[in-house]
Amino acid sequence: MEYIPSKLLSDAVDQFSRLPGIGKKTALRLVLDIIKRDEKTVNNFANSITTLKAKIHNCVICGNLSDEETCTICANPKRDHGMICVVENIRDVIAIEQTGTYHGTYHILGGLISPIDGIGPNELNIQQLQKRVDENEVHELIFALSANMEGDTTCFYLSRLFRSKVQKISQIARGVAFGGDLEYTDEVTLARSLESRTLYSNE
Amino acid sequence: MEYIPSKLLSDAVDQFSRLPGIGKKTALRLVLDIIKRDEKTVNNFANSITTLKAKIHNCVICGNLSDEETCTICANPKRDHGMICVVENIRDVIAIEQTGTYHGTYHILGGLISPIDGIGPNELNIQQLQKRVDENEVHELIFALSANMEGDTTCFYLSRLFRSKVQKISQIARGVAFGGDLEYTDEVTLARSLESRTLYSNE
């Protein structure tokens, strides 16, 4: 997009187009929408961003985003603090919380081990996880990481690291998704779901 | 999305999800990306928005967005000021400027006549167009409006309004788009492109 009638406009479009998944055209659409609003709404929008950046914390325990030093999950006495679900990022926490079925705590790694991208264990939030395991009675570690090479590598690394310290280490099930058609499921998924088949109990 | 770990985060997500085409999930992705940046970059982002809103003008002549009172096109003595291309919004100006083939000026209506949405001629920037035609020597008005009911209605209204004042009134061609397959062109477009066929000159 070469012609933009105003420097102010083109600055704002530039800023928006640096956001993930936003190209120049979408950025322009967003900015033109913002211009139409009244000044107060626009200032509220801008303020919400600066305030967020200035005041948001990472939970000192699990690494989740939080308004306070400790996030609402780690501060909740009703959650099972002996059960830690290890995830890659905060979006995974949100996804699991939405199921409404998990009542333990989380630990956010901030990434996955990926030698190709130069990310080793030291780049991740693993030391803090070790500290949590050492200082608390953790009875189960659940790995809920992406079902790809990096996720598998990280699971393997962590399971080795903690197998002497935590009694139960598990990984979320991988298999055919709910509603998934067997015919269209890829071979790797299908092979894995066969491998980790669950027994009907004989009760 | 019910669970969001922080009020600050959820405020910012709310603000972003009010932008056109941005849902809660995309908003969250954008906001999490912003959190990762350093404070200066975030402040620049927020500033670009507030400065834009506070300082941008609408060109007093054509209604285009501009840093000054008059936009760069209306202020350019090299453009043909007797030729006015009437468009709906500034995105259309950008689209036409990108062709690099138009050297006249523009007039931005700010919408199209649409009785269903309660938009009549008085809601549009038409008075200013009348003033421009009355006070200057305008030799051609070009309507470059959307090829739909509202666009057609607006073209018809404007052509009636100006036919006694402007010698030449035209409308951009409607027909099969470049690269368009005849087979897959809709009937209305095809019928129109037949109707407004152009003659090969006999030179």
Side-chain angles (χ1 to χ4, degrees):
Chain A
M1 209 168 334
E2 282 159 44
Y3 170 79
I4 283 201
S6 134
K7 171 126 192 355
L8 293 165
L9 185 67
S10 103
D11 282 351
V13 168
D14 264 357
Q15 291 285 351
F16 269 89
S17 62
R18 277 178 216 157
L19 293 171
I22 307 283
K24 286 263 176 186
K25 280 211 168 178
T26 310
L28 179 67
R29 195 156 50 88
L30 300 183
V31 172
L32 290 177
D33 185 86
I34 288 175
I35 291 178
K36 277 196 231 144
R37 304 176 183 183
D38 64 86
E39 193 139 358
K40 202 178 149 224
T41 320
V42 174
N43 289 341
N44 285 347
F45 179 77
N47 281 341
S48 76
I49 299 165
T50 42
T51 318
L52 175 74
K53 179 63 195 176
K55 293 198 182 161
I56 201 137
H57 295 80
N58 279 103
C59 171
V60 287
I61 299 172
C62 71
N64 195 357
L65 287 174
S66 167
D67 292 347
E68 314 290 332
E69 275 230 314
T70 314
C71 76
T72 46
I73 295 173
C74 290
N76 186 346
K78 286 185 188 161
R79 313 275 307 208
D80 180 354
H81 292 266
M83 188 184 256
I84 301 178
C85 179
V86 180
V87 295
E88 180 182 347
N89 59 41
I90 184 205
R91 289 207 297 278
D92 301 331
V93 174
I94 293 173
I96 296 175
E97 280 301 290
Q98 273 183 297
T99 69
T101 55
Y102 179 69
H103 304 290
T105 59
Y106 293 91
H107 194 84
I108 288 132
L109 293 179
L112 295 172
I113 296 173
S114 170
I116 284 181
D117 304 315
I119 303 174
N122 294 333
E123 273 72 48
L124 304 178
N125 188 18
I126 292 176
Q127 269 201 325
Q128 167 64 10
L129 181 58
Q130 276 182 299
K131 204 174 148 225
R132 281 178 83 179
V133 169
D134 289 341
E135 292 175 6
N136 300 280
E137 280 200 16
V138 174
H139 60 82
E140 182 165 0
L141 271 184
I142 304 171
F143 301 142
L145 303 175
S146 292
N148 53 24
M149 186 80 109
E150 290 77 21
D152 282 354
T153 311
T154 313
C155 280
F156 183 74
Y157 176 85
L158 292 177
S159 64
R160 288 291 168 114
L161 196 63
F162 289 107
R163 64 180 170 181
S164 60
K165 292 176 184 172
V166 182
Q167 204 194 345
K168 211 167 146 191
I169 296 183
S170 63
Q171 176 186 296
I172 56 165
R174 288 169 184 184
V176 183
F178 184 76
D181 217 322
L182 221 64
E183 194 181 344
Y184 301 115
T185 306
D186 67 287
E187 311 88 273
V188 181
T189 303
L190 208 51
R192 281 198 184 182
S193 71
L194 262 173
E195 229 172 81
S196 34
R197 60 195 179 274
T198 51
L199 281 174
Y200 280 105
S201 61
N202 282 327
E203 292 168 50
Chain B
M1 207 165 338
E2 280 157 43
Y3 169 80
I4 282 201
S6 134
K7 170 120 193 2
L8 293 166
L9 185 67
S10 104
D11 282 351
V13 169
D14 264 358
Q15 291 285 352
F16 269 90
S17 62
R18 279 178 213 155
L19 293 171
I22 307 283
K24 287 263 177 184
K25 281 211 169 179
T26 310
L28 179 67
R29 196 156 49 89
L30 300 182
V31 172
L32 289 178
D33 183 86
I34 288 175
I35 291 178
K36 277 195 233 145
R37 305 177 183 183
D38 64 87
E39 193 138 359
K40 201 178 149 223
T41 319
V42 174
N43 289 342
N44 284 347
F45 179 76
N47 282 341
S48 76
I49 299 165
T50 43
T51 317
L52 176 74
K53 179 65 195 176
K55 293 199 180 159
I56 200 138
H57 295 78
N58 280 104
C59 170
V60 288
I61 299 172
C62 71
N64 194 358
L65 287 174
S66 167
D67 293 347
E68 313 291 333
E69 277 230 313
T70 314
C71 77
T72 47
I73 294 173
C74 289
N76 186 347
K78 286 185 187 160
R79 313 274 311 206
D80 180 354
H81 292 267
M83 188 184 257
I84 301 178
C85 178
V86 179
V87 295
E88 181 183 346
N89 58 43
I90 184 207
R91 289 207 298 279
D92 301 331
V93 174
I94 293 172
I96 296 174
E97 280 301 291
Q98 274 183 296
T99 68
T101 56
Y102 179 70
H103 302 292
T105 59
Y106 293 92
H107 194 84
I108 289 134
L109 293 178
L112 295 172
I113 295 174
S114 170
I116 284 181
D117 303 316
I119 303 173
N122 294 333
E123 273 72 47
L124 304 177
N125 188 16
I126 292 176
Q127 267 201 328
Q128 167 65 11
L129 181 58
Q130 275 182 300
K131 205 175 147 223
R132 281 178 82 180
V133 169
D134 289 341
E135 291 175 5
N136 301 280
E137 279 199 17
V138 174
H139 60 82
E140 181 165 2
L141 270 185
I142 303 171
F143 301 141
L145 303 174
S146 292
N148 54 23
M149 186 82 107
E150 290 78 22
D152 283 353
T153 311
T154 313
C155 281
F156 183 74
Y157 177 86
L158 291 177
S159 63
R160 287 292 169 111
L161 196 62
F162 290 107
R163 64 180 171 181
S164 61
K165 292 178 183 170
V166 181
Q167 203 194 348
K168 210 166 146 191
I169 296 183
S170 63
Q171 177 186 296
I172 55 166
R174 287 169 185 185
V176 182
F178 183 76
D181 217 322
L182 221 65
E183 193 180 343
Y184 301 116
T185 306
D186 67 287
E187 311 88 274
V188 180
T189 302
L190 209 50
R192 281 197 183 181
S193 70
L194 263 173
E195 230 173 80
S196 33
R197 61 194 178 276
T198 50
L199 282 175
Y200 278 106
S201 60
N202 283 328
E203 292 168 50

